């Protein structure tokens, strides 16, 4: 990948460039932010090192690539960010810590200060590498400088603060020159143009004015589809379907296109229609894209992933989401097999603006950058919704080799890196793991990934980072789908409970309104019912449940299900039984139907039932439940997901029906 390196002159930015080249990337240009006033050394910036900016101009000639600079405008803002804790071999440039003396230590090479820094570490606990802000550095030479090294001829020490305990001093370069090297380079992945070095420095140095380049041919604006009001007008009312849950702290909107005639115009038009309809529904509820926490994007063909992202970002932009773009999971589903269009979207919305997002787009060794316009994770009211994670190697952004088990292990490590930013761990705080498995995964690989899953989580639990968290009884749901982004074999989507107040006591159960099951359904509790259920209850506030209805268990419901073929009549019986079991779970756990935030039913396309027919079956069952309980509100919202298969293990994704319920008390 061709990259632009943001440089400050410090050891970290130079080492990051070296790691970038090590992972196969090509540095084609440098970028630097400098003070608006050339005479100013230190801006007291939380984000940018500015001391020594006078020397940065030489980096272009030392490396033989262009440097683009822009002056910093405005004032300091505190912005959360994550660093890579790297080391190098530069000179100390600014010192500000107990025991460090600007007069004694400034301008010295780190190698000469080794014993002093370790002594101060023992006495005062300073970070030897300066990662606690004790000092900043200036790199004068490194393997990237293939053309020349910087020689500091003269400097002076300027006292920035004369504090008696921890004085702050700044090294101000007075004069320096370049010492040219032989034309050899140990790192060959820097963009190499031999003619550049022979040019004047002005040919490599550019100062950017304003917000960005104007009239630049290589920058393409994203088309504005906000004026495409005709899109909705062109879609017949009976094709564009939308379903919304009751307005609560969070609520769901689902939208899809019926395509019973098989004449869908294409992915882009279908996706625009669906996004426009959702946008209209959000506005009708006094919300916007800024309120969206999470989006499930289901595509009929993963080959259209790039086109889907282009269309998606024309609706969901940073400008419309000042608190951060939503997190997202994208998978391919057999939509057309159940007579749907090319796109199906499920949106989780909050009616407040208290969400916190993690949205890192830079490539690093930390965790994968987002491969689409979404955030890695969104935290809202103690629930952390994490974007679907692939087994991508973060610095190279390529899928791990070695098969599904290796991809799964890397995906879990990526999940853990994201969780740590919220002081949590997927190994202890996950209430549910939904793992999408591609149909390209071989049967023997399915057997291996379950063992790998539990092995990796167990290893994480023994680490120091996870030891402080209370271990939750996580639920596992595996979903078999036709394809995943980048041709991955697995995608992991965890949901975590991140407790905000560690002193919070478990919520006292309250009397929930009891729902009465219609008498003609005829179900009574039996011991085997528990074998259908996975359940995770957290502090009396969160209830997550997965019901797995296999062929074998279905035969226990009625003798009419003894045959191999499941008809619509059989599905109606199974749907009623699932609703009965859900009611029992909620009642036993002191939750009620009004606490439900999300209710999904996964049904396999092998049933040969359209989504429209399945929707009628479930709606009828919920209507009967509501009629039997006229004094209790029954939210009849549910979401039907067509899949190749689903189940509680990767080797048994053959349920007739799988239910995923998420309930949370307000």
């Amino acid at each position: 990948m061709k990259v632009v390196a943001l440089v400050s002159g410090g050891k970290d930015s130079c080492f990051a460039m070296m790691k970038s080249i090590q992972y196969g990337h090509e540095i084609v240009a440098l970028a630097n932010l400098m003070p608006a006033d050339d005479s100013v050394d230190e801006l007291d910036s939380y984000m940018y090192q500015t001391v020594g900016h006078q020397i940065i101009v030489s980096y272009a000639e030392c490396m033989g690539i262009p440097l683009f600079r822009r002056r910093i405008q405005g004032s300091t803002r505190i912005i959360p960010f994550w660093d890579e804790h790297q080391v190098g071999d530069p000179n100390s440039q600014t010192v500000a810590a107990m025991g460090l003396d600007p007069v004694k230590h400034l301008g010295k090479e780190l190698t000469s200060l080794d014993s002093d820094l370790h002594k101060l570490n023992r006495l005062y606990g300073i970070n030897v590498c300066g990662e606690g802000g004790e000092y900043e550095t200036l790199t004068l030479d490194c393997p990237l400088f293939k053309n020349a090294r910087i020689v500091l001829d003269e400097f002076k020490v300027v006292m920035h603060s004369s504090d008696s305990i921890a004085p702050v001093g700044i090294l101000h370069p007075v004069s320096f020159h370049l010492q040219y090297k032989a034309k050899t380079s140990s790192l060959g992945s820097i963009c190499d143009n031999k003619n550049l070095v022979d040019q004047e420095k002005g040919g490599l140095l550019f100062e950017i004015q304003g917000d960005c380049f104007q009239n630049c041919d290589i920058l393409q604006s994203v088309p504005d589809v906000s004026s495409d009001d005709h899109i909705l007008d062109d879609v017949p009312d009976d094709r564009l379907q939308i379903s919304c849950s009751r307005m609560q702290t969070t609520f769901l909107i689902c939208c899809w296109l019926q395509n019973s005639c098989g004449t869908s115009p294409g992915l882009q038009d279908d996706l625009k229609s669906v996004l426009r309809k959702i946008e209209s529904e959000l506005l009708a509820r006094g919300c916007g894209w800024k309120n969206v926490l999470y989006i499930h994007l289901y595509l009929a063909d993963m080959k259209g992933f790039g086109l889907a992202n282009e269309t998606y970002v024309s609706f969901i932009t940073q400008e419309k989401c000042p608190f951060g773009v939503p997190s997202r999971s994208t998978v391919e589903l057999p939509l057309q097999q159940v007579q749907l269009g090319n796109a199906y979207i499920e949106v989780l919305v909050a009616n407040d603006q208290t969400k916190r997002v993690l949205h890192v787009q830079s490539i690093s060794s930390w965790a994968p950058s987002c491969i689409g316009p979404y955030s890695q994770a969104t935290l809202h009211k103690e629930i952390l919704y994490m974007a679907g994670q692939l087994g991508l190697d973060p610095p190279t952004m390529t899928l791990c080799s070695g098969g599904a088990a290796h991809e799964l292990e890397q995906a879990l490590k990526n999940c853990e890196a994201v969780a740590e930013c919220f002081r949590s761990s997927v190994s202890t705080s996950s209430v549910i793991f939904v793992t999408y498995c591609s149909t390209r995964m071989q049967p023997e690989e399915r057997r291996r990934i379950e063992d790998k899953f539990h092995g990796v989580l167990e290893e994480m639990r023994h680490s120091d980072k996870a030891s402080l968290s209370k271990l939750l009884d996580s639920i596992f749901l595996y979903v078999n789908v036709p394809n995943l982004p980048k041709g991955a074999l697995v995608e992991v989507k965890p949901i975590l409970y991140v407790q905000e107040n560690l002193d919070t006591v478990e919520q006292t159960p309250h009397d929930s309104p009891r729902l009465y099951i219609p008498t003609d359904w005829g179900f009574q509790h039996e011991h085997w019912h528990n074998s259908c259920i996975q359940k995770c209850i957290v502090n009396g506030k969160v209830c997550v449940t997965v019901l797995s209805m296999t062929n074998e268990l279905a035969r226990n419901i009625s003798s009419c299900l003894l045959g191999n073929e499941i008809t619509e009549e059989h599905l109606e019986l199974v749907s009623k039984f699932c609703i009965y079991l859900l009611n029992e779970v909620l009642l036993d756990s002191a939750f009620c139907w009004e606490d439900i935030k999300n209710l999904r039913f996964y049904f396999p396309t092998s049933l040969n039932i359209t989504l429209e027919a399945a929707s009628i079956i479930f709606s009828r069952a919920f209507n009967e439940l509501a009629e039997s309980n006229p004094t209790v509100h029954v939210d009849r919202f549910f979401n039907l997901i067509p899949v190749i298969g689903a189940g509680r293990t990767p080797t048994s994704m053959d349920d007739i029906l799988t239910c995923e319920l998420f309930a949370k008390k307000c």
Side-chain angles (χ1 to χ4, degrees):
M1 181 183 296
K2 293 184 177 181
V3 299
V4 174
L6 180 63
V7 294
S8 64
K11 57 182 173 58
D12 289 3
S13 60
C14 287
F15 189 70
M17 287 193 290
M18 293 172 66
K19 296 297 289 184
S20 175
I21 291 172
Q22 178 185 332
Y23 288 119
H25 303 301
E26 180 186 8
I27 301 173
V28 297
L30 304 173
N32 170 251
L33 295 166
M34 60 180 177
D37 185 347
D38 286 332
S39 65
V40 173
D41 285 296
E42 176 59 81
L43 289 181
D44 286 329
S45 169
Y46 291 101
M47 196 73 177
Y48 312 114
Q49 172 181 320
T50 56
V51 178
H53 65 87
Q54 301 90 343
I55 288 181
I56 300 300
V57 293
S58 299
Y59 275 36
E61 193 162 355
C62 289
M63 295 178 64
I65 55 178
L67 169 65
F68 297 86
R69 308 188 82 193
R70 184 182 174 189
R71 298 186 183 275
I72 299 172
Q73 305 292 335
S75 58
T76 299
R77 289 196 306 167
I78 299 177
I79 304 173
F81 71 104
W82 294 263
D83 195 16
E84 279 296 317
H85 302 296
Q86 298 155 344
V87 296
D89 186 21
N91 285 38
S92 60
Q93 182 189 47
T94 303
V95 295
M98 185 180 293
L100 286 176
D101 183 350
V103 176
K104 178 181 178 182
H105 297 120
L106 265 179
K108 301 292 179 62
E109 290 190 0
L110 286 182
T111 52
S112 68
L113 296 177
D114 183 73
S115 60
D116 286 12
L117 292 173
H118 280 87
K119 180 180 179 180
L120 294 176
N121 171 262
R122 292 190 297 270
L123 290 174
Y124 308 117
I126 76 163
N127 188 290
V128 174
C129 295
E131 290 298 329
E134 296 86 350
Y135 62 85
E136 291 177 345
T137 56
L138 180 64
T139 303
L140 302 178
D141 191 17
C142 73
L144 300 172
F145 293 5
K146 60 179 182 176
N147 298 317
R149 69 184 301 271
I150 301 169
V151 179
L152 191 58
D153 298 317
E154 183 183 353
F155 65 86
K156 63 181 180 180
V157 174
V158 179
M159 295 306 296
H160 188 64
S161 169
S162 299
D163 187 279
S164 59
I165 298 176
V168 180
I170 294 171
L171 182 147
H172 177 78
V174 175
S175 64
F176 61 92
H177 72 275
L178 297 184
Q179 185 179 85
Y180 287 90
K181 302 177 180 180
K183 300 294 187 194
T184 58
S185 174
S186 59
L187 292 173
S189 297
I190 302 172
C191 182
D192 190 8
N193 187 335
K194 296 179 180 178
N195 295 325
L196 287 178
V197 183
D198 297 328
Q199 298 176 7
E200 296 180 354
K201 282 197 294 185
L204 291 172
L205 187 62
F206 304 89
E207 183 172 334
I208 307 303
Q209 306 290 341
D211 292 335
C212 61
F213 280 118
Q214 302 295 325
N215 301 320
C216 183
D217 293 336
I218 62 172
L219 296 178
Q220 298 179 352
S221 60
V222 179
D224 179 14
V225 299
S226 59
S227 61
D228 289 351
D229 295 329
H230 67 279
I231 292 176
L232 283 181
D233 297 336
D234 293 341
V235 180
D237 291 339
D238 60 342
R239 279 202 66 215
L240 190 58
Q241 303 291 318
I242 192 164
S243 177
C244 307
S245 66
R246 186 168 53 90
M247 189 82 169
Q248 300 185 83
T249 313
T250 59
F251 59 94
L252 275 170
I253 300 175
C254 298
C255 189
W256 64 94
L257 285 162
Q258 298 284 4
N259 189 31
S260 56
C261 299
T263 56
S264 178
L267 171 61
Q268 191 168 36
D269 286 343
D270 281 4
L271 189 54
K272 284 182 180 179
S273 298
V274 170
L275 287 168
R276 174 64 64 200
K277 184 68 173 178
I278 293 174
E279 189 171 67
S280 175
E281 184 64 30
L282 286 169
L283 291 173
R285 291 180 172 228
C287 298
W289 293 113
K290 65 183 180 182
N291 297 93
V292 175
L293 305 176
Y294 202 96
I295 293 179
H296 284 85
L297 176 59
Y298 303 126
L299 303 177
D301 190 344
M302 194 54 68
K303 292 178 181 177
F305 181 73
L307 183 61
N309 274 338
E310 290 179 18
T311 308
Y312 181 96
V313 78
S314 63
F315 283 85
I316 305 168
T317 64
Q318 295 282 359
E319 291 74 21
K320 293 180 182 178
C321 304
F323 312 108
V325 292
S327 299
R328 193 183 81 184
S329 171
T330 305
V331 299
E332 180 181 320
L333 291 182
L335 300 179
Q336 294 177 350
Q337 290 179 245
V338 294
Q339 297 185 5
L340 296 188
N342 293 289
Y344 179 178
I345 293 181
E346 178 185 321
V347 175
L348 178 64
V349 189
N351 63 5
D352 59 27
Q353 298 174 3
T354 62
K355 72 177 183 180
R356 291 168 49 203
V357 307
L358 175 64
H359 185 207
V360 180
Q361 295 176 284
S362 59
I363 296 176
S364 70
S365 298
W366 163 71
S369 61
C370 298
I371 60 173
Y374 57 87
S375 296
Q376 278 94 344
T378 300
L379 178 66
H380 182 257
K381 297 192 181 301
E382 299 188 313
I383 304 300
L384 183 64
Y385 305 92
M386 197 176 294
Q389 290 289 338
L390 306 179
L392 292 171
D393 177 45
T396 63
M397 290 300 291
T398 57
L399 282 172
C400 290
S401 59
H406 288 82
E407 284 188 28
L408 176 69
E409 181 175 8
Q410 185 62 54
L412 288 173
K413 290 179 179 178
N414 296 340
C415 290
E416 183 70 354
V418 173
E420 286 175 358
C421 294
F422 295 88
R423 296 182 175 86
S424 188
S425 170
V426 292
S427 65
T428 57
S429 301
S430 295
V431 293
I432 185 170
F433 290 95
V434 178
T435 304
Y436 298 105
C437 301
S438 168
T439 53
R440 296 188 301 106
M441 188 187 301
Q442 298 301 314
E444 60 272 14
E445 290 184 300
R446 294 185 185 180
R447 288 188 288 270
R448 285 196 292 267
I449 65 170
E450 184 175 17
D451 293 338
K452 175 64 72 174
F453 212 129
H454 293 286
V456 173
L457 293 181
E458 189 63 29
E459 184 178 334
M460 289 178 179
R461 291 183 188 117
H462 286 87
S463 69
D464 293 336
K465 295 176 182 177
S467 60
L468 299 178
S469 303
K470 178 183 176 182
L471 180 62
L472 300 181
D473 189 13
S474 306
I475 289 174
F476 295 87
L477 171 60
Y478 294 85
V479 182
N480 201 11
V481 297
N483 204 355
L484 294 169
K486 288 185 171 286
L489 296 174
V490 291
E491 178 179 324
V492 181
K493 185 192 68 174
I495 298 178
L496 284 69
Y497 176 74
V498 180
Q499 191 167 332
E500 295 174 350
N501 184 357
L502 296 179
D503 297 326
T504 301
V505 296
E506 184 165 330
Q507 194 160 328
T508 304
H510 58 78
D511 293 332
S512 302
R514 182 183 182 91
L515 288 187
Y516 295 94
I517 298 298
T519 54
D520 60 346
W521 286 13
F523 302 125
Q524 293 182 348
H525 178 73
E526 296 185 37
H527 293 299
W528 66 267
H529 290 180
N530 293 332
S531 61
C532 306
I533 302 169
Q534 293 184 79
K535 182 171 66 174
C536 178
I537 308 295
V538 186
N539 293 344
K541 296 195 293 186
V542 175
C543 173
V544 183
T545 303
V546 168
L547 304 182
S548 298
M549 186 55 56
T550 64
N551 265 297
E552 182 180 357
L553 293 174
R555 296 188 186 103
N556 294 324
I557 302 174
S558 171
S559 58
C560 72
L561 294 172
L562 291 176
N564 292 324
E565 185 178 350
I566 302 296
T567 64
E568 292 187 13
E569 181 182 353
H570 297 154
L571 183 61
E572 184 163 359
L573 182 59
V574 173
S575 68
K576 291 178 179 178
F577 178 72
C578 286
I579 293 172
Y580 160 77
L581 278 187
L582 289 176
N583 190 54
E584 293 296 302
V585 169
L586 291 170
L587 186 63
D588 291 345
S589 308
F591 284 78
C592 63
W593 284 86
E594 291 186 357
D595 296 324
I596 297 176
K597 308 301 180 189
N598 190 16
L599 180 58
R600 294 189 188 95
F601 291 98
Y602 300 87
F603 70 100
T605 52
S606 59
L607 295 181
N608 294 317
I609 296 174
T610 66
L611 186 138
E612 184 177 14
S615 181
I616 292 172
I617 290 171
F618 278 89
S619 296
R620 191 156 52 224
F622 275 106
N623 288 339
E624 291 181 17
L625 181 66
E627 290 169 3
S628 298
N629 298 271
T631 62
V632 180
H633 177 81
V634 178
D635 193 348
R636 307 175 199 189
F637 177 85
F638 56 88
N639 193 15
L640 291 170
I641 311 293
V643 295
I644 302 300
R648 62 196 308 165
T649 71
T651 56
S652 62
M653 294 184 288
D654 53 5
D655 292 355
I656 295 174
L657 192 67
T658 309
C659 172
E660 177 193 355
L661 176 147
F662 187 97
K664 185 176 184 293
K665 293 179 180 177
C666 298

